[in-house]
């Protein structure tokens, strides 16, 4: 299996938006977002930020050349304004989960962007918490911080999120 993490060119923004619809739908079980009267999630309208703003980076995750997900990196920090990168959004299609694709993609992105990182977790998204705790623990050899129920990270549903931070 060949896994690659490739920057999304502007001309493929519509492809990323298609994947983003699936991501927003899946996420709606946690953040309780509604769609607008056109059937769109509000976040879909902010995808241009990843080409228009500095320190915003969109990536596709591909397996054997086939789209398997995406990674959005930004500097929209929750807790640490002096950090370098935030995992904006991370999505792997169900077919590729628990196969090492997400683990590979996360580590590849961390290796591309050296510095201080922050990742938010919704406490009801148990599979995400297990994934990030495992990946970050392995990647940093246990040298990371996690703040549970952080009052600086309040999701749309009113839940305080967890914040993982580390430096690579």
């Amino acid at each position: 299996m060949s896994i690659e993490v490739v920057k999304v060119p502007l001309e493929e923004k519509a492809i990323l938006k298609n994947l983003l619809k699936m991501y927003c739908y899946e996420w709606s079980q946690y953040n309780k977002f509604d769609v607008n009267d056109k059937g769109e999630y509000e976040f879909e309208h902010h995808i241009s930020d990843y080409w228009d703003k500095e320190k915003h980076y969109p990536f596709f995750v591909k397996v054997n050349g086939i789209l398997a997900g995406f990674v959005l990196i930004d500097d929209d920090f929750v807790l640490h304004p002096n950090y370098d990168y935030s995992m904006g959004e991370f999505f792997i299609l169900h077919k590729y989960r628990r196969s090492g694709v997400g683990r590979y993609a996360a580590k590849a992105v961390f290796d591309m962007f050296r510095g201080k990182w922050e990742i938010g977790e919704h406490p009801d998204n148990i599979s995400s918490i297990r994934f990030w705790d495992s990946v970050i623990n392995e990647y940093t050899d246990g040298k990371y911080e996690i703040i549970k129920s952080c009052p600086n990270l309040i999701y749309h549903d009113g839940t305080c999120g967890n914040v993982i931070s580390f430096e690579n």
Side-chain angles (χ1 to χ4, degrees):
M1 174 169 47
S2 168
I3 306 168
E4 42 182 353
V5 178
V6 295
K7 189 144 192 209
V8 180
L10 181 59
E11 57 272 9
E12 293 184 10
K13 180 166 84 169
I15 297 169
L16 180 59
K17 279 186 83 171
N18 288 337
L19 290 173
L20 190 62
K21 288 177 188 305
M22 290 180 258
Y23 171 78
C24 288
Y25 171 75
E26 184 173 311
W27 240 115
S28 70
Q29 67 185 302
Y30 305 111
N31 64 22
K32 308 300 183 209
F33 281 145
D34 287 314
V35 294
N36 64 21
D37 57 358
K38 295 179 183 177
E40 302 167 323
Y41 289 97
E42 184 61 34
F43 184 72
E44 294 178 58
H45 298 282
H46 298 285
I47 196 65
S48 292
D49 289 354
Y50 288 89
W51 288 271
D52 297 342
K53 288 186 174 182
E54 287 187 47
K55 294 189 177 183
H56 283 63
Y57 309 97
F59 293 94
F60 284 135
V61 178
K62 294 185 175 186
V63 174
N64 299 328
I66 298 168
L67 286 172
F70 64 83
V71 180
L72 301 179
I73 299 167
D74 56 46
D75 64 348
D76 299 336
F77 302 107
V78 172
L79 187 62
H80 301 96
N82 61 332
Y83 269 44
D84 301 303
Y85 306 104
S86 176
M87 185 65 69
E89 314 299 334
F90 188 90
F91 179 65
I92 302 297
L93 292 166
H94 281 278
K95 174 182 177 179
Y96 299 102
R97 293 182 189 175
R98 302 187 197 290
S99 68
V101 171
R103 183 175 296 274
Y104 177 91
K107 290 178 178 182
V109 168
F110 296 149
D111 286 345
M112 281 187 238
F113 296 92
R114 307 301 284 189
K116 294 179 180 178
W117 278 86
E118 181 177 87
I119 300 171
E121 302 173 322
H122 193 291
D124 292 341
N125 190 344
I126 302 303
S127 60
S128 174
I129 289 172
R130 287 182 183 143
F131 171 79
W132 286 118
D133 289 353
S134 172
V135 169
I136 302 304
N137 185 55
E138 184 179 301
Y139 186 79
T140 65
D141 197 26
K143 296 176 180 78
Y144 67 100
E145 178 184 359
I146 184 164
I147 299 172
K148 302 232 182 224
S149 298
C150 179
N152 293 60
L153 175 55
I154 300 175
Y155 286 96
H156 184 71
D157 68 346
T159 304
C160 290
N162 303 334
V163 178
I164 297 176
S165 55
F166 67 94
E167 186 171 359
N168 61 353

